[in-house]
Amino acid sequence: MATDVNKLYADLRKKMAVAHTEEELAVLDKAFNTAQEYHGDQLRRSGEPYIIHPIAVADILVDLGMDCPSLAAALLHDVVEDTPYTLEQLQADFGETVATIVDGVTKLGKVQISSRETKEEQQAENVRKMLLAMSKDIRVIIVKLADRLHNMRTLEFVDPQKQRDKALETLEIFAPISHRLGIRSVKEELEDRAIRFLDPVAYVSIEENLKNSSRSGNDFIESTKSKILERVQKTVPSAQISGRIKSVHGIYRKMYMQGKQFDEIYDIYAVRIIVDTVIDCYNCLGIIHDMYRPLPGRFKDYISTPKPNMYQSLHTTVIGKEGVPFEVQIRTWEMHRTAEFGIAAHWKYKLGMSGGKNKFDERLQWIRQMLEAQQEAGDAREIVSSIKTDLIPDEVFVYTPKGDVINIPQGSTVIDFAYAIHSAVGNKMMGAKVDGRIVPLDYVVKTGEICEILTSSQPGKGPSRDWLNIAKSSQARSKIRSWFKRERREENIIEGRAEIEREFKRNYIRLTEEDEEKFIKKLAERQRLDSIDDFYAAIGFGGISVNRLMPYIKDEYHKNYDRSREEQRQKQVKTAPRKTNSDGVTVEGIDNCLIKFSRCCNPLPGDPIIGFITRGHGVSIHKQDCTNVPKDIKNCAEPARWINAYWNKNVKEEYKATVTLTCLSRIGLMADVSMQVANMRVNITDINTRDTKDGRCILSITVKVGGIEHLKNLIAKIEKVDGVLSVER
């Protein structure tokens, strides 16, 4: 086995010798020997020597063209965490730069969390650490991406649940980061490997489709390349042409997220033309459009309007005599290097990107912006949601009246556009025009539109709190919160206190003045805030969402401040055998009684329930936290009529439940919601809607579900519908 390890490193060393000096190779040899010595007999879950993993990570980084400190850090990235070798020793042996990268990678994989933190909070803490590490040295995250890529390649050796967790995290966090850094090969492989574990049936189906069409597809690509090369070389002799078939994840997104069939995807096949100059790019575009018929709406000019990750290329989809649509990408060699290696091209081509260090710093500006946005967002789920939104590859390009191009996330409103121009423009915004006509503030802008922001000259004019629910990008929401935080602290405290009181009242949380102060103080500390006023202010300016805190608040309240009801119920537990009724509910001590479910709370399987013996109508079943259930049963008017009830283990009936949706009013909203419900094979028994004064609408839907978990899954699906702001049971 040792021979195999030495051979692996020897092969890696040959690759490193191509771009690194003898002095650098000596450092890398020392790093390998140190890692091999300290990892010793450690094994991976696959049974292989652990040292194989650092070698594989370094090999990935060699292909990306990373520098000597990055490769040394890759070979050493686990020694500090998994062996007695300390960070101080590492710094003494390899210098501060290598130690900083190793320390950053180690911290990313070792997040200290409390037992009460949710998954969202754990993930938010991971994201915070990633962004902080990236802001200090971008090589930290590049090494971490290589580490994650090799772990994904060997994911079959861990248990199924961990496979799904790692795959989901990879798809939601690591793949978008690699996309934002422009490292295409890493992004595509991470996505494909994640889908393999998250949706294995779909993955196999797409692979089969690709396999069935690969032979004819390869023949088609080779034939097309020859025809294009013959024509293009007459005008651009230096042009080089290659072809490719779309990645599994790219096809998955269109098939399962956009509802397309495999044969409806027009860019499964692609041809890439690489030339020397920008003028050559546009000349080649003219030749392609002369040879083939371009499909309307399928041309994108990323040369004049680069993507946020600095990607540049011309994209056009055309169709030939064979009737097969395919994409053509046209770019220069410098654009190609950036497209393939992204930020790693800075090292691979020795600062060869135009603009040098200033251009490099500009490409990392988004990291600082996201860190600033996080400082304003106190809610964990808000942070993670913002990261996912801002890192997704879909964006739109909108023009100012002066012709400047502003790129913002797909689905952004005119509010996002205003804040993307400048904070002052957003704060003074009073309306917007798109292509010359007035539009509402929730108007979603589209690529190619000309947007003009109408501002107020009135001193003290600022944004509305409602804008936090309309803005799509974390950048806009962060700037809105900053304004309220800076300009309206006293107002925020009053607003935040009022909102807490409303939510406490709505959820029947009753506390003494002394207990309430302790309770709120504890909530403030949990949000890392110094005082109760800071907590109220954070709610007031939108940094903390009370709705998202309520599950935790109710849990803590019932656990620490509402013991009496549970104690009384425990005393009332009878020794009589439990008897089962046909309605899916067991009522303690009563057999064959009429069961009815109360309309005031509509209990579902999974909800804690209690029964009330009615006069002549059997037992009425309520949720234990229903408003009609006394808080102190022992001292209520008729305590004997309240009786313990339980759901049967194998409930098969369907029960009615009503959910209330707060939405942005738009055409087709009800149809989209109904379609999402129908896709879950859930029956709608009642639906109604009403408009509110602020341009929104309230949609109430009654559905038949099998239990609380079924309803939660349905709510999660409905929340994804465009325009749905919140869903409450």
Side-chain angles (χ1 to χ4, degrees), residues 362-529:
E362 181 186 328
R363 296 185 65 178
L364 301 182
Q365 181 64 29
W366 63 274
I367 299 172
R368 287 182 282 276
Q369 290 173 352
M370 293 183 82
L371 276 170
E372 289 169 7
Q374 280 198 50
Q375 291 169 1
E376 302 297 337
D379 186 271
R381 279 174 288 192
E382 170 74 12
I383 293 167
V384 176
S385 174
S386 297
I387 296 297
K388 295 171 188 175
T389 300
D390 286 2
L391 291 181
I392 56 173
D394 299 319
E395 65 272 327
V396 294
F397 302 93
V398 186
Y399 294 91
T400 67
K402 292 183 179 180
D404 295 326
V405 179
I406 305 292
N407 56 286
I408 46 182
Q410 192 172 54
S412 293
T413 65
V414 289
I415 293 175
D416 296 287
F417 178 81
Y419 279 100
I421 295 171
H422 197 277
S423 301
V425 175
N427 291 337
K428 292 182 178 180
M429 178 181 182
M430 56 181 291
K433 287 183 178 180
V434 172
D435 292 342
R437 60 187 177 86
I438 297 286
V439 296
L441 295 183
D442 61 355
Y443 178 84
V444 176
V445 292
K446 303 174 188 66
T447 292
E449 290 181 329
I450 299 172
C451 186
E452 178 185 356
I453 301 301
L454 308 176
T455 57
S456 170
S457 57
Q458 179 184 347
K461 163 71 175 135
S464 164
R465 294 181 192 276
D466 292 337
W467 292 8
L468 287 167
N469 297 320
I470 300 173
K472 173 78 172 179
S473 66
S474 63
Q475 182 185 18
R477 290 196 297 270
S478 170
K479 289 178 178 179
I480 295 167
R481 292 192 195 100
S482 291
W483 188 88
F484 277 103
K485 186 177 182 180
R486 186 178 62 251
E487 304 289 339
R488 297 285 190 270
R489 177 171 170 80
E490 293 305 316
E491 181 185 315
N492 291 336
I493 292 172
I494 295 170
E495 179 70 26
R497 184 184 290 114
E499 187 170 346
I500 278 286
E501 288 174 357
R502 282 195 301 271
E503 289 300 315
F504 276 20
K505 189 174 181 181
R506 195 166 70 87
N507 289 277
Y508 300 95
I509 295 174
R510 299 180 179 89
L511 294 163
T512 65
E513 190 173 328
E514 184 181 351
D515 282 345
E516 183 171 337
E517 186 174 347
K518 289 179 183 176
F519 191 43
I520 299 295
K521 178 69 174 173
K522 186 176 180 182
L523 294 175
E525 289 170 354
R526 189 171 186 270
Q527 298 297 317
R528 300 182 179 89
L529 296 172

